[in-house]
Amino acid sequence: MTLGTQVAAQLPYLRRYARALTGSQATGDAFVRATLEAALTDPGLQRSLAGGRVPLYRAFNKVWASACMDVPAEPAGDAGGLEAAAQQRLAAITPRNRQALLLTTLEDFPVDDAATIMGIDPRQVEALIQEAIAEIDRETTTSVLIIEDEPLISMQLEDLVHSLGHDICGTAATRGQAQQVVAERRPGLVLADIQLADGSSGLDAVDDILSLGDVPVIFITAYPERLLTGNRPEPTYLVTKPFQEATVRAAISQALFFKSSRPVA
């Protein structure tokens, strides 16, 4: 397998991480492009990428950390709507805390690998994760709609949502059931599968909800490649089945942090 093929196989996941870290598909993709451009001009960095995911994410995080340290958070300026809200929230949270949490949950790196990627001691990573969890705990509670046709997974998600202090406004196994729930109560967060019980689409069910107003959405699916194509606006929050509960917890905190799942740029 060539180096290009190895890197290409990891790009959908690196782009997912970049979007979650920055809160923006456009900004996240820009950092990914900058990482690849750096590799093209640096033979040593290029050779290191043959080592797999860890050196690729380490290269990305060097680019991201350099920009974050060198450029102070800018005010919203002329930006409006979701972009302004995202900038304000990004300025209010500790970036490295979110970085450590995302690497060990969303991207499922062991703490030692996350430490290598961030260039710090594993104990520091663990401390950052605990600080991130404390920040998450301060988030306000909301009502959650679960769109999932597998009963056991739906029950698991219900228990997880309750454990975070949120309530369930309804569960749905089909697009029609989701429409019925939303007609009675508007959710503050949606957890959605793509393929539903009657052959209907979770994507269509989410579009129905978003037509009524902006609501954070997390897709939980066994087919992430169907959404990570680069051919259409992609979901910022995407969890792959089978999932770890810590990954879903991190995604929920991120989605509620930005209060939106639409691209901000």
Side-chain angles (χ1 to χ4, degrees):
M1 184 182 295
T2 66
L3 177 60
T5 302
Q6 292 179 41
V7 172
Q10 296 300 329
L11 280 184
Y13 305 101
L14 181 62
R15 292 177 62 233
R16 173 182 65 182
Y17 168 68
R19 281 199 311 279
L21 187 63
T22 63
S24 162
Q25 180 176 327
T27 303
D29 284 353
F31 276 112
V32 172
R33 285 194 299 272
T35 302
L36 298 179
E37 290 168 359
L40 289 175
T41 59
D42 185 339
L45 174 58
Q46 197 172 119
R47 287 192 297 271
S48 75
L49 298 184
R53 292 183 76 214
V54 170
L56 176 62
Y57 278 68
R58 179 174 172 81
F60 169 88
N61 277 286
K62 283 184 177 179
V63 173
W64 176 80
S66 175
C68 287
M69 288 187 293
D70 295 340
V71 181
E74 296 181 0
D78 295 332
L82 297 178
E83 185 176 357
Q87 288 175 345
Q88 291 170 358
R89 293 187 177 103
L90 278 170
I93 197 169
T94 309
R96 282 167 65 83
N97 291 356
R98 292 177 50 234
Q99 183 184 15
L101 186 65
L102 287 170
L103 285 171
T104 55
T105 55
L106 186 66
E107 299 306 316
D108 201 26
F109 283 107
V111 168
D112 286 350
D113 284 349
T116 299
I117 290 168
M118 297 180 69
I120 59 178
D121 187 89
R123 289 171 296 183
Q124 290 178 279
V125 173
E126 292 174 343
L128 291 172
I129 293 170
Q130 293 305 312
E131 291 173 10
I133 291 172
E135 289 183 305
I136 291 167
D137 289 341
R138 292 192 287 271
E139 292 290 333
T140 58
T141 59
T142 191
S143 60
V144 181
L145 167 60
I146 298 173
I147 306 176
E148 169 60 62
D149 65 337
E150 296 184 42
L152 291 179
I153 294 179
S154 182
M155 291 173 60
Q156 182 182 6
L157 290 173
E158 286 187 61
D159 289 343
L160 188 154
V161 166
H162 283 307
S163 73
L164 293 174
H166 308 298
D167 65 357
I168 305 293
C169 69
T171 60
T174 67
R175 179 184 182 183
Q177 291 176 4
Q179 290 172 330
Q180 292 174 4
V181 172
V182 174
E184 297 177 2
R185 185 179 178 190
R186 190 75 59 84
L189 174 69
V190 177
L191 307 182
D193 194 1
I194 295 176
Q195 293 184 314
L196 303 180
D198 61 351
S200 59
S201 167
L203 291 169
D204 291 335
V206 167
D207 284 342
D208 293 338
I209 296 168
L210 293 178
S211 70
L212 301 175
D214 192 30
V215 178
V217 178
I218 299 169
F219 284 100
I220 302 176
T221 176
Y223 308 100
E225 67 280 359
R226 297 183 183 179
L227 294 173
L228 296 172
T229 62
N231 297 323
R232 59 185 295 275
E234 299 169 355
T236 300
Y237 308 106
L238 176 62
V239 176
T240 304
K241 291 180 178 177
F243 59 81
Q244 294 187 10
E245 290 195 357
T247 302
V248 180
R249 290 173 184 268
I252 288 175
S253 69
Q254 289 285 307
L256 292 178
F257 172 78
F258 286 104
K259 303 296 183 185
S260 172
S261 59
R262 296 184 185 276
V264 299

